[in-house]
Amino acid sequence: MPTSIVDVAKLAKVSISTVSRVINRSDLVNQRTRARVESAIKQLNYQPNAFARGLMLRRSDIVGLVLPDLHGEFYSEIIRGANLKARHLGYNLVVSSARDGDDSHSLLRAIQQRALLDGVAVMVSELTDRIAEVLAAFPLPYVVLDGEIDGTPHDSIVIDQRHGAVALMRHLVGPAGAKRIIFVGGLATNVDTIARLEAYRQVLAESGLPQEASDVYHLDYEYETAYRLAREHVRAWASAGCCVFAANDEMAAGIVAAASEAGLNVPRDLAVAGFDDTRVARMTRPPLTTVRVPMAKMGAQAMELLCQRIADPQRPRMQISLQPELVVRESCGTALRRAADQPAPA
Amino acid sequence: MPTSIVDVAKLAKVSISTVSRVINRSDLVNQRTRARVESAIKQLNYQPNAFARGLMLRRSDIVGLVLPDLHGEFYSEIIRGANLKARHLGYNLVVSSARDGDDSHSLLRAIQQRALLDGVAVMVSELTDRIAEVLAAFPLPYVVLDGEIDGTPHDSIVIDQRHGAVALMRHLVGPAGAKRIIFVGGLATNVDTIARLEAYRQVLAESGLPQEASDVYHLDYEYETAYRLAREHVRAWASAGCCVFAANDEMAAGIVAAASEAGLNVPRDLAVAGFDDTRVARMTRPPLTTVRVPMAKMGAQAMELLCQRIADPQRPRMQISLQPELVVRESCGTALRRAADQPAPA
DNA sequence: TGCTGGATTGAAAGCGATGTCAAAGAACTG
DNA sequence: CAGTTCTTTGACATCGCTTTCAATCCAGCA
């Protein structure tokens, strides 16, 4: 029922080839003919059929971004960066989330089955063997976001978490002058927690601070949980001259809240640091010292890499590593300050 | 280069018609033949070409969701609800954001131009004439999210903000016992702010509380701004027996923080209410009384409506109105409590 | 044996675009 | 004016699938 190229051709009294040329801005069509065709197109409100077009061209100029979940700022930052870059590169971006009653495996399959995309960037919460397997047989150009840092056989963008966490820890033992550091992380199996915990241990070791197993807590990345834990410990921590390194900003915020309620002054009595530099980091009093993970950049780089792969499927795989950045705010007692209160550059 | 239906047919020694039947689970193909074809498909790792398929079927089973922006929890909630529902209805959902160097108009155009979608749900920050015009000429089934409540010529889902704000205000003047209410909103031109402010005025009027122009502040929905404002006023507000109605949770959180710092007890000295019931609402001490906007539901309803429209393009337009829900937590002094601390049902 | 009819299968006609190639004029050269 | 080139146009094959529609096979039946 919708108008096709044939209708336009008829109305303009030309062949479909000519119409096609006009659409694709080929320059071998006469000015007057072009005008006639264009007016016919307008008159019929004609839109080329994308399926037919894609069938011939074998491309849609659309790339996908699959995230494990759409909650949280990380993801919207990634999307923002990816979107912008994709558009610069001449692609449209569509986003899909994997969770919600469906695991990433089956999502990949869905996309794979009816791929109308030229490529996808996938971020998975865990790069399991199953998923790796699916990817290996993936019929589409793809890149992996935040994959493993060591020789995966995929194009990927990785964040050097370890590096960021080390920087933060060094700040705590250095300028912030911690005598003892409490680590509050997520589950012990969580890859992010693992990386951050390793950095924690490394810096404690290299600076000769005490490493007590009881200084490490494994929670669930939630505000409320950290708040409850802190309520029981803040006084003890404060009197022991501790700093707290929370593995994300939300937990750090919960700890700051508990400390304030206990009448402690952050950072004087208890310094607290977070991780991720999400919106919450600026929503505590005082705002949090944290580590900014360059999410927007990650999205952008992913698109860049993806488009290179689309352009040249033979190109050898690449891994790009991104460095997080230490953001010093008032929650860790120090004179150091940085012009870091602006949103990350796109 | 990728395998096509012809390759499968050859390998299985059947015609492409038969392969097609197997793919589409037609039941008029012999068991043994089917098995042969299926094994060939597996062996070749064959995936039907989605363009060719779409060209014939005139559908892709993919629907789109276009949001003005992907920041914030609203959006992820909408996406969550929409995703789930879309899948139930047999569609895949892709999401696109409109902002970021591109206005929604041009995004719509992009989608429109190369539509591979069966339909879209669009949410625009402002339903300007320009956009309405684009929509009117839209060649695809679509629904509008959070459009205007009065007779737009589109299928749309609207949230009855007014209703929610009235419920909250009545709670403040009733159980919370406010003598005077401060309104902290966004820009005076913002549609959300306008609706909430109207409710504010209405309830003040009906309950005979004072309406001072100076009790209404127009900020920018940001935590920091509200915090700064509150720092100057909280003591005065508290001693006047005020409640604060902030037009979103972030500003409410900023106000709570300022009050706590000033040594005031929330809610005893100053009651504060927010709006939206975002994650932040549970990240203040005490947690915020607020209004939950049923975002997930909105997404789901949008998909439902969209799919109905796709199924029957002739169906008359529909408007669906969704009611927000008052969520009472400790930030407004009251004995009233509700089982409202769980995440919204999907 | 010859027919009817159900179960399978294949041949071929699109779907709506792109792109190749040749044809038709127009313009230019000798 | 014939021959050559350039510009502009149209015919038609093609992409990979779905979907008639007809053909084939074989059982059942008179």
Side-chain angles (χ1 to χ4, degrees), chain B residues 127-166:
Chain B
L127 198 54
T128 62
D129 291 349
R130 253 177 71 128
I131 293 182
E133 195 181 307
V134 174
L135 286 176
F138 216 57
L140 235 55
Y142 70 91
V143 307
V144 178
L145 271 76
D146 204 11
E148 277 151 34
I149 208 159
D150 36 321
T152 58
H154 313 113
D155 280 309
S156 62
I157 315 285
V158 297
I159 297 240
D160 188 353
Q161 295 222 36
R162 179 81 177 256
H163 182 273
V166 165

Side-chain angles (χ1 to χ4, degrees), chain A:
Chain A
M1 191 69 30
T3 67
S4 85
I5 197 169
V6 182
D7 305 311
V8 178
K10 273 194 193 126
L11 181 60
K13 298 198 191 308
V14 295
S15 73
I16 59 168
S17 317
T18 302
V19 178
S20 174
R21 288 188 192 104
V22 170
I23 295 170
N24 297 294
R25 353 201 123 281
S26 155
D27 51 353
L28 20 69
V29 41
N30 185 291
Q31 272 304 326
R32 310 242 303 279
T33 324
R34 169 182 306 269
R36 243 185 22 256
V37 172
E38 274 166 354
S39 111
I41 288 180
K42 190 155 295 173
Q43 190 177 328
L44 295 174
N45 189 25
Y46 165 73
Q47 306 290 347
N49 179 310
F51 292 111
R53 196 162 215 270
L55 181 55
M56 274 305 293
L57 262 33
R58 325 191 69 72
R59 67 188 163 80
S60 60
D61 294 330
I62 301 181
V63 291
L65 173 58
V66 180
L67 299 174
D69 184 343
L70 254 26
H71 267 87
E73 264 170 83
F74 314 115
Y75 300 122
S76 40
E77 274 301 296
I78 295 179
I79 294 170
R80 215 169 58 81
N83 208 3
L84 212 59
K85 177 59 82 179
R87 236 166 253 185
H88 273 148
L89 293 168
Y91 286 91
N92 279 317
L93 179 73
V94 297
V95 183
S96 233
S97 101
R99 280 248 175 80
D100 294 328
D102 209 340
D103 66 341
S104 33
H105 178 262
S106 71
L107 180 85
L108 291 182
R109 201 174 41 207
I111 287 202
Q112 167 184 30
Q113 273 176 0
R114 323 245 132 145
L116 296 164
L117 307 176
D118 294 347
V120 269
V122 287
M123 179 165 186
V124 289
S125 35
E126 268 180 297
L127 198 55
T128 61
D129 292 349
R130 255 176 69 128
I131 293 182
E133 196 181 305
V134 175
L135 286 176
F138 216 57
L140 237 56
Y142 70 91
V143 307
V144 177
L145 270 76
D146 204 12
E148 278 151 33
I149 207 158
D150 36 322
T152 59
H154 314 115
D155 281 309
S156 63
I157 316 284
V158 297
I159 298 241
D160 190 353
Q161 296 224 34
R162 178 81 176 256
H163 182 272
V166 165
L168 176 60
M169 282 295 294
R170 292 210 175 116
H171 175 77
L172 294 183
V173 302
K179 296 284 163 273
R180 186 178 136 198
I181 301 179
I182 307 292
F183 178 85
V184 181
L187 288 180
T189 55
N190 177 283
V191 289
D192 296 331
T193 296
I194 292 171
R196 291 162 200 185
L197 188 52
E198 277 173 8
Y200 167 81
R201 297 214 166 102
Q202 172 191 328
V203 175
L204 285 189
E206 75 189 26
S207 56
L209 290 186
Q211 289 204 38
E212 311 278 347
S214 61
D215 285 351
V216 173
Y217 295 88
H218 287 288
L219 307 184
D220 59 359
Y221 282 113
E222 293 290 333
Y223 176 95
E224 188 68 26
T225 325
Y227 169 78
R228 289 215 198 97
L229 174 79
R231 220 168 30 179
E232 295 176 18
H233 296 286
V234 275
R235 294 183 169 282
W237 291 341
S239 49
C242 291
C243 274
V244 180
F245 171 16
N248 76 345
D249 291 335
E250 292 210 7
M251 292 194 294
I255 293 164
V256 168
S260 304
E261 269 178 36
L264 299 171
N265 175 297
V266 176
R268 203 191 53 218
D269 305 323
L270 184 72
V272 179
F275 209 98
D276 295 339
D277 195 26
T278 51
R279 212 170 168 78
V280 224
R282 265 162 284 164
M283 285 179 36
T284 61
R285 294 300 108 173
L288 295 173
T289 286
T290 182
V291 173
R292 174 182 304 149
V293 177
M295 287 299 179
K297 195 163 186 182
M298 178 159 156
Q301 292 271 14
M303 288 301 115
E304 194 116 33
L305 204 53
L306 181 58
C307 293
Q308 286 172 23
R309 158 91 29 238
I310 291 172
D312 176 10
Q314 309 306 325
R315 196 166 93 333
R317 315 274 185 191
M318 278 185 63
Q319 256 88 315
I320 295 183
S321 169
L322 259 36
Q323 301 297 326
E325 179 192 3
L326 178 64
V327 176
V328 179
R329 299 208 185 84
E330 293 87 333
S331 75
C332 287
T334 170
L336 259 176
R337 292 292 293 282
R338 307 200 24 194
D341 278 12
Q342 299 80 14

Side-chain angles (χ1 to χ4, degrees), chain B residues 198-243:
Chain B
E198 277 173 7
Y200 167 81
R201 296 213 166 103
Q202 172 191 327
V203 175
L204 285 188
E206 73 190 27
S207 54
L209 290 186
Q211 288 205 41
E212 311 278 347
S214 61
D215 285 352
V216 173
Y217 296 89
H218 287 288
L219 308 184
D220 59 0
Y221 281 114
E222 293 289 332
Y223 175 95
E224 189 66 28
T225 325
Y227 170 78
R228 290 214 197 95
L229 173 79
R231 222 168 29 180
E232 295 176 17
H233 296 286
V234 274
R235 295 185 169 282
W237 290 342
S239 50
C242 290
C243 274

Side-chain angles (χ1 to χ4, degrees), chain B:
Chain B
M1 191 69 30
T3 66
S4 85
I5 198 171
V6 181
D7 305 311
V8 178
K10 272 192 191 130
L11 181 59
K13 298 199 192 308
V14 295
S15 75
I16 59 167
S17 319
T18 303
V19 178
S20 174
R21 287 188 192 106
V22 170
I23 295 170
N24 296 295
R25 351 201 126 283
S26 153
D27 51 353
L28 21 69
V29 41
N30 185 291
Q31 272 304 325
R32 310 242 302 278
T33 325
R34 170 183 305 269
R36 249 193 6 262
V37 172
E38 273 166 353
S39 113
I41 289 180
K42 191 156 293 173
Q43 190 177 329
L44 295 175
N45 191 25
Y46 165 72
Q47 307 288 351
N49 179 309
F51 293 111
R53 195 162 218 273
L55 180 54
M56 275 305 294
L57 297 179
R58 330 190 67 71
R59 67 188 163 79
S60 61
D61 294 330
I62 300 181
V63 292
L65 173 59
V66 180
L67 299 175
D69 185 345
L70 255 25
H71 267 88
E73 265 169 79
F74 315 114
Y75 301 124
S76 40
E77 275 300 296
I78 295 180
I79 294 171
R80 215 168 58 82
N83 208 2
L84 214 57
K85 176 61 81 180
R87 237 166 252 185
H88 274 146
L89 294 168
Y91 287 91
N92 279 317
L93 179 74
V94 297
V95 183
S96 236
S97 102
R99 280 250 176 77
D100 293 329
D102 209 340
D103 66 341
S104 32
H105 178 263
S106 71
L107 179 85
L108 290 183
R109 200 173 41 205
I111 287 202
Q112 166 185 31
Q113 273 176 359
R114 321 246 133 142
L116 296 164
L117 307 176
D118 295 346
V120 270
V122 288
M123 180 166 185
V124 290
S125 36
E126 268 180 298
L127 198 54
T128 62
D129 291 349
R130 253 177 71 128
I131 293 182
E133 195 181 307
V134 174
L135 286 176
F138 216 57
L140 235 55
Y142 70 91
V143 307
V144 178
L145 271 76
D146 204 11
E148 277 151 34
I149 208 159
D150 36 321
T152 58
H154 313 113
D155 280 309
S156 62
I157 315 285
V158 297
I159 297 240
D160 188 353
Q161 295 222 36
R162 179 81 177 256
H163 182 273
V166 165
L168 177 61
M169 282 294 295
R170 292 210 176 119
H171 175 77
L172 294 182
V173 301
K179 297 282 165 274
R180 186 176 136 200
I181 301 179
I182 307 292
F183 178 86
V184 181
L187 289 180
T189 55
N190 177 284
V191 288
D192 295 332
T193 296
I194 292 172
R196 292 161 200 186
L197 189 52
E198 277 173 7
Y200 167 81
R201 296 213 166 103
Q202 172 191 327
V203 175
L204 285 188
E206 73 190 27
S207 54
L209 290 186
Q211 288 205 41
E212 311 278 347
S214 61
D215 285 352
V216 173
Y217 296 89
H218 287 288
L219 308 184
D220 59 0
Y221 281 114
E222 293 289 332
Y223 175 95
E224 189 66 28
T225 325
Y227 170 78
R228 290 214 197 95
L229 173 79
R231 222 168 29 180
E232 295 176 17
H233 296 286
V234 274
R235 295 185 169 282
W237 290 342
S239 50
C242 290
C243 274
V244 181
F245 171 17
N248 74 347
D249 292 335
E250 291 210 8
M251 292 194 294
I255 294 165
V256 168
S260 304
E261 268 177 37
L264 300 171
N265 175 299
V266 176
R268 205 192 50 218
D269 305 323
L270 184 72
V272 179
F275 210 100
D276 295 339
D277 194 28
T278 52
R279 213 173 168 76
V280 226
R282 264 161 286 166
M283 285 178 35
T284 61
R285 293 302 108 173
L288 295 173
T289 285
T290 183
V291 172
R292 174 182 304 149
V293 177
M295 286 300 180
K297 195 163 184 181
M298 178 158 155
Q301 292 273 14
M303 287 301 115
E304 194 117 32
L305 204 52
L306 181 58
C307 293
Q308 286 173 21
R309 159 88 31 236
I310 291 172
D312 176 11
Q314 308 307 325
R315 195 166 94 332
R317 316 273 186 193
M318 278 183 64
Q319 257 88 313
I320 295 183
S321 168
L322 260 35
Q323 301 298 327
E325 178 192 4
L326 178 64
V327 176
V328 179
R329 300 208 185 85
E330 292 87 333
S331 75
C332 287
T334 169
L336 258 178
R337 289 295 290 285
R338 307 202 20 193
D341 278 12
Q342 298 82 12

